[in-house]
Amino acid sequence: MSNLIILGAQWGDEGKGKMVDLFSERFDIVVRYQGGHNAGHTVFIGGRKYILKLIPSGILRPGKMAVIGNGVVIDPAALIEEIENLEAAGLSVKNHLAISNRAHVIFPFHRSVEKISEGRPGRVAIGTTSRGIGPCYEDKAGRRGIRMADLIEPDALGPLFQSLAQDKATLLHAFQIEDEADFDGMLQEYADYGRRLRPMVCDTSLLLSRAMAEGKHVLFEGAQGTMLDVDHGTYPFVTSSSAAAGGACVGAGVPPTKIDAILGVSKAYITRVGGGPFPSEAQDEYGDIIRNAGNEYGAVTGRPRRCGWFDVPLLRYTTTVNGFDSLLITKLDVLDEIDEIPVCVAYRLGGRQVTEMPATRAAMAAVEPVYEKLPGWRASTKGVTSYDELPQQAKDYLKFLEQQTGVEIGCVSTGPERNQTMVIAGSRLERLIAT
Ligand code: IMP
């Protein structure tokens, strides 16, 4: 297997971090291509918990190279803190991390601007992570953003910063937001971040191109999930980047012709954090049962996640957008205690059954789920590593998801540890990772 994308097939938090960590053994380089420190990957290795926000989880494998691509937005303070935490845990980060010189930089005023857009009267709040992600991407698209290449050059940084900071001060003043930002202090602070990060900043597109030419294998890791993609997700309740597979090429600067396969990660159920439509949300006590069993709280913000049942139309849609070669199903064990497991197999809208994903906010909010109930297995699957050892009902459940979505299930995870995983014998995934 040469170059592969692993990304979320739902609304994020599918367990991508664990899957990337698991497969990164077979790759030389792991690349993040979008998002920022709004993402949180939790990986457990040998009982130790690592939370990664910006750095690809490949860093946890000794000797692997981790790349932060141009499509990522970087809060340098958050990145430096993450590097220091990982180094304190004994990992070698600085020598194995490359940061794109074209990635955009998040400043504290991006968070202040986000307060305006989230808190303005009459505006539907998105329920963002409040990390300044959206406003930083706005500046990128508005062609006034500041990139890592500028951050590491004090002479370039000053004038760009003054112009951007002035815009923000005017905006904050117009919206009567009291912001006591010390812009001069901020510039000094950021110039210092630039000095510290400089040794890791380079043209990562070129780095990847050369590595691929030498026959190195690259794994691209998505953050958030397809339904949070700015184009294909449940707009406007989305993040501001291209989380779908196409985003990997844009956000890493690699040609689409270099991608060999695309893997979608999905929970055996579904969750979402923040506002927005959620057709198969369990609004009864099962929402709490799943949340407790699956410890469904945001890795970054600690917010309780909204929980619900596997949504087939949504998975079919994200398969259309991404062209998944195989699905990796996580957290099967969370459903161990449930008697009957509903699966959303279709949507009804205005009394009619619909097969496509509605595009408008109103239609998405009006969608009613059509459920089919499957018998639960009422037995522990925690840590099971062989498909044959799964209870028959759990196998039937997985088969049902496979038939309904039209994508093979190549891998199933039954616990947070690296080894609590099975690759399905005879699957396309097995063949992909064997080559
Ligand atoms: P933002 O990315 O902070 O702008 O937030 C936009 C939406 O994306 C909100 O609903 C967030 O809760 C959601 N979101 C952002 N990052 C993640 C993530 O890593 N997992 C799940 N949801 C996320």
Side-chain angles (χ1 to χ4, degrees):
M1 173 169 38
S2 307
N3 307 316
L4 186 107
I5 304 172
I6 296 190
L7 79 151
Q10 299 171 316
W11 274 294
D13 308 315
E14 297 93 347
K16 297 176 291 291
K18 171 181 163 167
M19 288 301 178
V20 169
D21 170 64
L22 187 72
F23 291 112
S24 58
E25 193 189 9
R26 298 157 204 272
F27 291 85
D28 304 291
I29 305 177
V30 183
V31 187
R32 228 340 251 285
Y33 59 84
Q34 43 74 231
H37 65 315
N38 49 348
H41 287 168
T42 310
V43 182
F44 288 85
I45 303 169
R48 186 161 193 162
K49 182 175 170 182
Y50 298 89
I51 295 187
L52 299 158
K53 295 175 188 163
L54 275 160
I55 303 177
S57 26
I59 204 78
L60 302 175
R61 297 259 181 202
K64 306 290 171 186
M65 185 83 197
V67 171
I68 297 179
N70 56 277
V72 176
V73 286
I74 299 175
D75 181 325
L79 178 56
I80 289 171
E81 188 189 350
E82 197 171 323
I83 293 171
E84 285 175 353
N85 284 344
L86 292 173
E87 295 226 316
L91 295 163
S92 163
V93 181
K94 288 190 188 129
N95 295 329
H96 295 96
L97 178 65
I99 304 164
S100 170
N101 53 3
R102 290 179 172 81
H104 279 249
V105 179
I106 299 179
F107 290 87
F109 46 67
H110 286 129
R111 287 192 288 280
S112 311
V113 171
E114 188 161 10
K115 273 192 209 140
I116 299 177
S117 55
E118 281 290 271
R120 209 165 69 209
R123 153 130 195 170
V124 182
I126 306 298
T128 68
T129 60
S130 310
R131 297 291 188 272
I133 306 291
C136 182
Y137 278 114
E138 281 175 38
D139 281 343
K140 174 179 175 174
R143 292 154 297 177
R144 55 181 172 263
I146 295 177
R147 306 191 292 177
M148 290 304 293
D150 309 314
L151 185 77
I152 62 172
E153 290 299 336
D155 291 346
L157 180 62
L160 290 172
F161 177 85
Q162 297 301 353
S163 153
L164 191 62
Q166 225 160 47
D167 279 5
K168 300 306 171 200
T170 309
L171 189 69
L172 295 172
H173 182 70
F175 280 91
Q176 290 152 7
I177 299 269
E178 293 303 323
D179 194 296
E180 300 191 345
D182 159 17
F183 286 118
D184 288 339
M186 198 184 290
L187 176 58
Q188 295 315 315
E189 192 185 329
Y190 270 66
D192 181 51
Y193 294 149
R195 266 189 293 278
R196 291 162 73 182
L197 293 172
R198 186 184 293 138
M200 289 165 268
V201 176
C202 66
D203 182 336
T204 49
S205 169
L206 193 60
L207 180 150
L208 291 170
S209 171
R210 287 184 178 146
M212 288 172 175
E214 285 168 16
K216 298 234 164 83
H217 297 181
V218 183
L219 176 58
F220 298 86
E221 138 179 5
Q224 288 85 45
T226 310
M227 295 308 284
L228 288 173
D229 180 282
V230 66
D231 285 277
H232 303 291
T234 41
Y235 192 89
F237 300 96
V238 292
T239 192
S240 302
S241 62
S242 300
C249 295
V250 180
V254 298
T257 44
K258 293 287 181 197
I259 305 297
D260 299 300
I262 299 168
L263 308 181
V265 186
S266 163
K267 281 177 184 160
Y269 49 97
I270 192 166
T271 60
R272 134 161 247 182
V273 205
F278 184 171
S280 66
E281 182 166 14
Q283 310 250 19
D284 52 14
E285 74 272 21
Y286 282 102
D288 297 326
I289 291 174
I290 297 173
R291 186 175 310 105
N292 290 336
N295 191 25
E296 295 293 358
Y297 295 89
V300 169
T301 59
R303 289 183 290 176
R305 296 180 183 141
R306 298 157 66 192
C307 300
W309 307 111
F310 192 93
D311 183 333
V312 170
L314 181 145
L315 228 303
R316 283 204 208 115
Y317 172 73
T318 59
T319 302
T320 304
V321 171
N322 295 304
F324 295 132
D325 292 284
S326 192
L327 278 181
L328 318 176
I329 298 287
T330 59
K331 295 188 136 183
L332 181 71
D333 55 300
V334 171
L335 300 179
D336 281 353
E337 295 304 322
I338 298 177
D339 275 332
E340 264 193 325
I341 308 173
V343 174
C344 170
V345 291
Y347 294 156
R348 285 186 78 73
L349 185 61
R352 279 187 315 114
Q353 196 144 312
V354 290
T355 48
E356 345 53 88
M357 184 63 65
T360 66
R361 188 193 313 194
M364 246 339 247
V367 147
E368 291 167 36
V370 178
Y371 287 116
E372 204 165 315
K373 288 191 173 163
L374 273 75
W377 40 95
R378 300 300 311 260
S380 176
T381 61
K382 182 124 193 126
V384 172
T385 53
S386 142
Y387 183 77
D388 292 338
E389 282 167 28
L390 286 176
Q392 188 55 45
Q393 292 90 336
K395 288 182 194 162
D396 293 343
Y397 182 74
L398 294 169
K399 273 276 158 261
F400 184 78
L401 301 190
E402 202 168 56
Q403 280 157 5
Q404 290 281 321
T405 59
V407 192
E408 74 154 30
I409 292 175
C411 178
V412 180
S413 154
T414 55
E417 285 282 343
R418 240 179 211 170
N419 56 3
Q420 294 174 317
T421 311
M422 64 192 88
V423 172
I424 308 299
S427 65
R428 182 165 187 196
L429 179 72
E430 189 189 47
R431 290 194 298 282
L432 272 171
I433 56 181
T435 52

